[in-house]
Amino acid sequence: MTAQAFKNPLETEVQYLKGVGPVRAAAFQTAGIYTFADLLEFQPRRYLDHSQIRRIDEIQPDEEVTVIGTVVGVERISRGKRRLIVRIADAGGMLEAVWFNQVDLFSKIFHTDQLVALSGKVGFYRGWQMVHPDFDILSEQKEALHTGQLIPIYPSGQEFKKAAISNYAIRRIFSEAFRKYGQLIPETLPEHLIQKYRLLRRAEAYRQMHFPSSAEMLHQVQRRFKYEELFYLELLMALRKFHFYSPVQGLPINIDEKQVQQFTAGLPFRLTGAQKRVLQEIRADLVKGHPMNRLLQGDVGSGKTVVALLTMQMAIQNGYQAVLMAPTEILAQQHYLSIANLLPEDQYRIELLIGSLREKEKSRIQQRISRGEAQLVVGTHALIQEKVTFANLGVVVIDEQHRFGVMQRGDLIEKGKSPHVLVMTATPIPRTLSLTIYGDLDVSVIDEMPPGRLPIITKWRTEAQLSNVYDFIRTELSRGAQAYFVYPLVEESEKMDLKAAVEAFNYLQKKVFPEFRLALIHGRMKMAEKEKTMAAFKAGEIHLLVSTTVIEVGVDAPNAVIMVIEHAERFGLSQLHQLRGRVGRGSKQSYCILITPGDISETAQQRMHIMTQTNDGFRIAEEDLRIRGSGEFFGTRQHGLPDLKYADLVTDQRIIQAARKDAFALVAADPHLRDKRHQLVLQHFKSRYSDKFRLPSIA
C-alpha cells in the first residue's frame, strides 16, 4: 500500500511521510501517532523564542539565544566520551557546538565554510559553548526551520532517541508534510462561526502551531482549537438532548394530587422548600409528553432519595415499574432499606438485585421483574445484565452518576421504552462542568438542608495532636455519641493500607478506647458481616466504627456525630466533603476532624483550609476544580467527557458559553445536520465520537 492509496490525506500512515519510514513510524506509534492527522495533533510542550539573533560578543551565560556564523572547524573526539565539536565564528567572536550523541550522523552534516544558525542555551567552558543546540545549515537549505521564529520543542521518549527522531527531524517531517498536504487539511467549523469570532482556519492553525510566526499567532492557535474542541463537545450534548426529547413520545404519567398529598403526609418528616421546588420541576417533566432527562444535585443528607422515591411512586401509581441503580452494594442496600421503611409494605412490591446474591435468588428476582410483579427495583450493575428485562419500565433513577460510565447509563435506560430518567449526585458539580459533563440534562438543585441540622464543625489536626483528639472523642462517647474513624484505601497500596488500618483498629481498641465497643469494616469482609456490623452500629451497640473505605460508611446513623479522617491529605476535596456528610444527620452538634502528618504539600494544606472554612458543597466543588483542574475533577472514562487537549474548563468559561450557545443554535436550526453547509461538521463529528459514544440517529 502506498500513501497515494488513501482518499483522505489526513489518514496517510505516518511511515509514508517523507523523512519517517518504518523505524521512525514504530517510534511515533509509541506516542500514539499513526497517521498524518495524529501527527498534526502532536502538540509541542513548549516554545523557544529564537526570533532575536545575537552576535557572539553580545551573549551572556545561561541565555537561550540564536547565533549565525560560519563553520571554521569540525572535530571528532574519540578518546574518553565520544563527541563532535563544531566551531563557528561571526564578526563578534567564536563559539563551539558540542554533540555527545549521534556523532557519526552529525559529522556528516557539518562542513567548513557552511553558514549555520545555532540555537540553545549558552555556557562557558574555555570559551562560549552550546551543548546539543538546534541548528540550520543556512547555506544548504531553502528555508530555515530553526531561525528567526518561535521554535516548538516536542515531547520525546527513549524510543524517539533510538529512532533518531530529534526536534530537528520532527520539524523537517512537518515541513515536508505541510508542503504536500497542507492545503488539503479540511475545515471543520461552519464558515459563519469562523467569521463571527475571526478564528484561524484549521489548516493555518496547524501550520502556526508547528511553525509559529509570532507569540500572537500562538494565542490565535489556542483560541481556534479551544473553541473547536468545546464546540464539538457541546454539539454532542445538543444532539443528545434534541434527539432524546423531540422525536420520542414520553410515557404518560398522570399526577394524582390526592395520592401525592397522602403519601407526603405519611412521611416521618416534612419536605423542605427546596425538595418541593424540585418535585414541581420533575412533575412538570413527567406530564409534558417527552421523556424526562434531569440531573438532581444535592449535598449529602439534603433529601435526594425522598425526591427520587416520590418520582418513582408517581410512576408506579400509573402502572409502570421504577428502578434505582447505585454504584455499590452497600449504597444499594441502604437505599432499599430506606425506601422499604417509607413505603407501605402491603401496597408496593420492592426488590433488591445485587451481584452478591446467590444465583437462585437472582433468578427469582429477575423473573419477578420480567413479569412486572416487582414494581420498584433497587440494585447495582447487576441491573444492566442481559438477563434482566422489565415488563413496563417507566422511571430510571441513577445515584452517584459520576461513578458510572455513559454506556452503563444508556444500558439501563434501554431496558425500557423511552423511560423518564432522573440522575442524582451528592458531589456538587460546578456550573462549568455541568454544562459539559451533563450538558444534555436539565438540572435541579436541592440547596436546602432539613430543618434542625447544625453546621458541622471541622478541625484540622496533626498526628502530634492525636492525644487531644482522643480525649475529645472519649468525652463525647461517654455522653452517648458515636464516631467514625476512616482510613484511606487506595488500589496501588491496598495491602499496606489494610494492614495499617487493622493495626490502628487494634491499637484504638486496646490502648485508647478499651472501655468502648469498636468494630472494623473493610471491602474484603463478606456482605453478611458488613450488614451485621452496620446494623449493630446503627442500633447503638457499637460506639466507634473504623472503616477503610469511603462509600461503605454510608450508614444513616443520626447518633454518629464525629468523623475522624486519618491521612486526610490522601483524600480529594469531594471525598472529604462526602465523608463529612456521614455525620450531622441528627439534631446534635457534629464534628469532622482531619488528621494529617505535620509536613504535607501546599496543595494538601489548601484542601485542609477549605474544609475548615465552609460546609458549602458547591463552593468546595469550585475550589476542587480550581486546585485539581478539569482533567482530574472526574475521570473522563467514568463520566464520558472526552479528553480535552486544548480547553480548560476552569479558565475557559467564556469560550464554553459561546460554544454551547452556537452548538445548540445549530442543532435547533438543523437537528439532523443535513444542510450542505454542515456536511464537514457532520463528518468530523462522526469521526470524533462514533466509536466512543451513543450517537443519536442523525443524517
Side-chain angles (χ1 to χ4, degrees), residues 245-253 284-292 420:
Y245 278 96
S246 301
V248 180
Q249 184 66 38
L251 299 175
I253 302 287
D285 285 347
L286 296 178
V287 301
K288 68 182 178 183
H290 299 295
M292 175 175 70
H420 299 280

Side-chain angles (χ1 to χ4, degrees), residues 31 84 141 145 158 308 324 340 481 486 519 583 591 618 653 669:
L84 178 74
Q141 294 176 191
L145 293 177
Q158 192 61 35
L324 188 158
V486 176
V583 296
Y591 305 88
F618 285 94
Q653 295 190 30

Side-chain angles (χ1 to χ4, degrees), residues 187 191 194-195 199-206 224-225:
E187 184 52 69
E191 181 64 26
I194 293 174
Q195 297 291 340
L199 298 172
L200 290 177
R201 297 190 181 278
R202 197 166 184 239
E204 179 60 18
Y206 277 125
R224 156 72 204 212
F225 286 126

Side-chain angles (χ1 to χ4, degrees), residues 324-613:
L324 188 158
M325 184 166 71
T328 69
E329 293 194 354
I330 294 286
L331 197 54
Q333 287 176 315
Q334 182 183 323
H335 280 310
Y336 173 77
L337 293 173
S338 298
I339 289 170
N341 288 332
L342 294 174
L343 287 177
E345 187 176 348
D346 58 338
Q347 296 181 28
Y348 296 90
R349 298 184 299 277
I350 311 170
E351 294 287 355
L352 174 67
L353 183 60
I354 55 179
S356 63
L357 293 175
R358 293 179 178 178
E359 288 303 317
K360 187 176 180 179
E361 180 67 7
K362 281 185 191 175
S363 179
R364 184 192 69 79
I365 294 172
Q366 290 166 359
Q367 289 175 18
R368 287 172 58 80
I369 295 172
S370 64
R371 292 196 297 260
E373 296 171 4
Q375 296 172 298
L376 195 159
V377 185
V378 180
T380 56
H381 297 78
L383 292 165
I384 60 178
Q385 293 178 350
E386 288 185 16
K387 294 179 181 179
V388 181
T389 59
F390 286 81
N392 193 16
L393 185 58
V395 167
V396 170
V397 178
I398 300 173
D399 192 23
E400 294 302 329
Q401 159 64 33
H402 68 277
R403 299 188 64 183
F404 291 104
V406 174
M407 304 296 274
Q408 291 169 323
R409 170 176 146 196
D411 287 339
L412 184 57
I413 293 170
E414 288 180 359
K415 296 288 184 181
K417 296 179 180 178
S418 305
H420 299 280
V421 180
L422 181 65
V423 170
M424 301 194 301
T425 179
T427 302
I429 305 167
R431 184 172 182 273
T432 315
L433 277 183
S434 67
L435 290 176
T436 49
I437 299 172
Y438 301 117
D440 55 336
L441 305 179
D442 295 311
V443 180
S444 291
V445 179
I446 299 180
D447 52 6
E448 180 183 356
M449 297 299 282
R453 298 273 181 94
L454 297 172
I456 300 168
I457 297 173
T458 303
K459 298 292 184 180
W460 173 26
R461 297 290 183 261
T462 65
E463 292 172 345
Q465 299 169 297
L466 270 174
S467 60
N468 292 333
V469 173
Y470 292 154
D471 289 342
F472 169 74
I473 294 171
R474 189 177 295 105
T475 300
E476 292 299 313
L477 294 182
S478 299
R479 293 173 178 171
Q482 290 173 285
Y484 296 106
F485 264 69
V486 176
Y487 288 80
L489 185 63
V490 296
E491 191 174 338
E492 293 81 3
S493 59
E494 185 173 338
K495 290 183 179 179
M496 291 175 57
D497 284 340
L498 183 55
K499 182 180 178 182
V502 171
E503 290 175 352
F505 165 74
N506 290 329
Y507 173 74
L508 290 173
Q509 177 67 89
K510 295 175 182 178
K511 302 292 185 180
V512 184
F513 304 112
E515 69 272 36
F516 297 104
R517 292 184 298 276
L518 277 66
L520 173 67
I521 187 170
H522 56 79
R524 294 190 177 183
M525 292 171 61
K526 292 182 179 179
M527 184 60 62
E529 291 181 85
K530 293 180 185 178
E531 290 177 356
K532 184 178 179 181
T533 301
M534 290 190 299
F537 184 70
K538 190 169 183 178
E541 298 168 8
I542 295 171
H543 299 106
L544 194 153
L545 183 63
V546 179
S547 174
T548 60
T549 55
V550 177
I551 197 63
E552 290 182 352
V553 296
V555 188
D556 189 3
N559 199 44
V561 298
I562 301 172
M563 170 63 71
V564 179
I565 306 175
E566 290 275 4
H567 285 287
E569 77 282 357
R570 292 171 62 182
F571 292 95
L573 269 174
S574 61
Q575 288 178 303
L576 291 171
H577 182 61
Q578 286 264 341
L579 279 172
R580 178 169 60 184
R582 299 304 174 192
V583 296
R585 298 297 185 104
S587 58
K588 297 179 181 178
Q589 178 64 61
S590 292
Y591 305 88
C592 179
I593 305 172
L594 309 173
I595 307 296
T596 71
D599 184 20
I600 59 175
S601 70
E602 185 176 340
T603 300
Q605 291 181 45
Q606 289 182 48
R607 293 200 297 269
M608 299 306 112
H609 284 304
I610 292 165
M611 287 296 296
T612 59
Q613 290 168 3

